[in-house]
């Protein structure tokens, strides 16, 4: 039986045989310097990462960092793949690193960190696209 909990990772409402496993997410994060940094940070600070299936997600989020519970929740029905799940953990880890200020500037930094994990480097076009995305999808943030 494959493990559904490992280290700071735990899986909730795990009903699917093909669900993303903590070990797979950790291994994927370790494939980049950024992902490794995020994983080490979360482990050192003992921030739980909850891989959730079949839970209410009215905003259609990929994941959230909850500063009150000091935990990351990933909505695996939305992320679907190991790659997306790992990238979401990297993004949410950055929110904690930056103090979870709930601002557009922080959201931009989190997307940049996530894309840096995925691509290894960012172009000006990448940064412009991130800014456009954040302005479109987070108009309520200061």
């Amino acid at each position: 039986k494959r493990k559904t909990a490992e280290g700071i990772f735990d899986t909730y409402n795990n009903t699917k045989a093909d669900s993303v496993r903590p070990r797979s997410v950790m291994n994927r994060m370790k494939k980049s310097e950024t992902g490794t940094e995020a994983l080490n940070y979360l482990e050192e600070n003992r921030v739980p990462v909850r891989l959730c299936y079949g839970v209410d997600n009215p905003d259609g989020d990929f994941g959230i960092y909850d500063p009150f519970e000091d935990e990351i929740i990933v909505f695996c029905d939305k992320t679907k793949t190991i790659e997306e799940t790992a990238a979401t953990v990297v993004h949410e880890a950055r929110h904690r690193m930056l103090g979870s200020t709930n601002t557009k500037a922080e959201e931009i930094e989190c997307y940049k960190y996530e894309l840096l994990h995925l691509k290894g480097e960012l172009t000006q076009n990448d940064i412009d696209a991130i800014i456009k995305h954040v302005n479109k999808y987070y108009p309520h943030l200061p």
Side-chain angles (χ1 to χ4, degrees):
K1 184 177 176 341
R2 295 185 297 173
K3 291 169 94 171
T4 57
E6 188 164 347
I8 58 171
F9 288 82
D10 207 349
T11 309
Y12 291 85
N13 228 8
N14 185 29
T15 55
K16 298 181 184 168
D18 63 343
S19 62
V20 172
R21 302 292 180 198
R23 168 65 50 190
S24 303
V25 175
M26 293 160 75
N27 286 343
R28 184 63 196 90
M29 289 175 75
K30 290 176 187 171
K31 288 189 177 175
S32 81
E33 202 175 296
T34 308
T36 300
E37 179 183 75
L39 182 59
N40 289 342
Y41 173 84
L42 293 173
E43 289 175 339
E44 286 164 14
N45 289 280
R46 294 184 177 88
V47 179
V49 178
R50 318 266 185 228
L51 304 176
C52 298
Y53 291 87
V55 297
D56 281 344
N57 182 12
D59 296 329
D61 293 322
F62 281 64
I64 59 168
Y65 167 66
D66 179 345
F68 302 104
E69 297 294 330
D70 193 24
E71 68 182 11
I72 290 171
I73 298 166
V74 179
F75 300 101
C76 295
D77 295 326
K78 184 82 174 171
T79 59
K80 293 184 173 61
T81 66
I82 293 164
E83 179 82 15
E84 278 276 290
T85 304
T88 300
V89 174
V90 168
H91 177 108
E92 299 307 331
R94 193 73 178 145
H95 277 296
R96 189 182 192 277
M97 292 170 165
L98 296 173
S100 195
T101 60
N102 215 19
T103 61
K104 280 184 186 168
E106 181 180 294
E107 203 59 59
I108 289 165
E109 286 307 308
C110 293
Y111 276 107
K112 283 165 64 176
Y113 198 67
E114 174 184 349
L115 197 57
L116 195 57
H117 160 70
L118 293 170
K119 290 183 63 179
E121 62 184 24
L122 300 179
T123 65
Q124 189 57 51
N125 283 346
D126 291 331
I127 294 166
D128 293 345
I130 288 169
I131 292 167
K132 188 175 176 184
H133 175 85
V134 168
N135 284 331
K136 180 177 179 180
Y137 292 99
Y138 300 87
H140 57 285
L141 294 180

